[in-house]
């Protein structure tokens, strides 16, 4: 398997094993990567003025562990494992939940919603999780259609990835490699 382009967008917030020589064009999304070392280009994922920016040298903004503010909520939006174990969801993407509702289990331990809103993301059942691991997301705007459309953040990051692909192809042509 010899791809022309690799985009590492696995959301690990660190480089698991991506190398700049994995393909002629290697693009990495988010923190944990350094352009010109791990990959050719890094895409900024932190909300704000530089969201979606193609970084040709250096790194994305470090992971703060605090998600972007939506509807006045940040860390409360995240559904986190309450211990190590096997994840089983109760709520599904698109479900409206209230603060305190059981949204999942880790083994036999209840995981509850910290705010009212729509479940916008949720791990699949059977995944082994670790304590405090992100397992899902609640959107306090409670707009169900947001669950089934592309977010502004995803569009900006996707646009940045496309821009990086075009930069990479242009640079390969300049070098006579494509």
């Amino acid at each position: 398997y010899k791809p022309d382009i690799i985009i590492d967008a696995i959301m690990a917030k660190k480089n698991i094993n991506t190398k700049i020589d994995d393909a002629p064009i290697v693009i990495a999304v988010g923190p944990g990567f350094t352009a010109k070392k791990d990959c050719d280009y890094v895409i900024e994922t932190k909300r704000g003025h530089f969201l979606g920016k193609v970084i040709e040298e250096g790194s994305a903004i470090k992971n703060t562990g605090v998600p972007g503010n939506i509807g006045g909520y940040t860390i409360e939006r995240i559904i986190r494992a309450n211990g190590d174990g096997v994840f089983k969801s109760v709520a599904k993407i698109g479900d409206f939940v209230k603060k305190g509702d059981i949204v999942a289990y880790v083994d036999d331990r209840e995981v509850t919603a910290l705010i009212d809103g729509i479940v916008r993301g949720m791990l699949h059942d059977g995944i082994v999780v670790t304590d405090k691991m992100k397992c899902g997301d609640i959107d306090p705007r409670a707009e169900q259609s947001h669950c089934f459309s592309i977010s502004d953040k995803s569009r900006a990051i996707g646009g940045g990835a496309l821009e990086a692909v075009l930069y990479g192809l242009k640079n390969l042509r300049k070098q006579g490699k494509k």
Side-chain angles (χ1 to χ4, degrees):
Y1 182 63
K2 289 283 192 190
D4 291 327
I5 301 165
I6 290 178
I7 301 175
D8 182 330
I10 62 169
M11 296 174 47
K13 312 250 192 242
K14 62 183 178 179
N15 187 350
I16 302 299
N17 195 26
T18 298
K19 294 182 257 356
I20 197 166
D21 59 359
D22 286 344
I25 301 170
V26 178
I27 301 164
V29 177
F33 299 95
T34 303
K36 302 297 180 238
K37 179 183 165 221
D38 304 311
C39 55
D40 298 296
Y41 307 98
V42 174
I43 311 302
E44 182 58 65
T45 58
K46 184 166 175 39
R47 288 187 188 275
H49 187 73
F50 297 107
L51 176 64
K53 179 183 188 313
V54 178
I55 301 166
E56 297 183 67
E57 207 164 306
S59 304
I61 297 168
K62 291 188 187 313
N63 179 26
T64 64
V66 178
N69 186 321
I70 295 179
Y73 296 98
T74 58
I75 58 174
E76 306 91 344
R77 296 188 302 109
I78 305 304
I79 297 167
R80 293 200 183 273
N82 55 2
D84 298 347
V86 177
F87 184 81
K88 173 143 181 38
S89 64
V90 172
K92 305 293 181 227
I93 293 174
D95 286 354
F96 180 79
V97 296
K98 292 194 155 290
K99 181 178 180 177
D101 285 355
I102 298 169
V103 293
Y105 287 91
V106 175
D107 289 339
D108 60 350
R109 294 179 304 279
E110 297 174 351
V111 177
T112 58
L114 300 178
I115 61 171
D116 295 354
I118 293 286
V119 176
R120 194 172 68 185
M122 187 69 81
L123 287 180
H124 296 283
D125 290 352
I127 293 178
V128 176
V129 296
T130 56
D131 190 35
K132 307 287 187 261
M133 180 175 162
K134 180 179 177 179
C135 299
D137 186 279
I138 297 172
D139 188 335
R141 295 171 295 189
E143 187 64 48
Q144 195 174 43
S145 65
H146 291 177
C147 301
F148 306 104
S149 61
I150 300 169
S151 72
D152 56 338
K153 183 174 182 178
S154 294
R155 284 184 197 280
I157 293 167
L162 175 59
E163 187 178 347
V165 167
L166 296 173
Y167 285 165
L169 291 172
K170 181 179 176 184
N171 287 335
L172 286 178
R173 276 191 223 100
K174 278 184 185 175
Q175 298 167 14
K177 295 182 181 177
K178 275 275 177 199

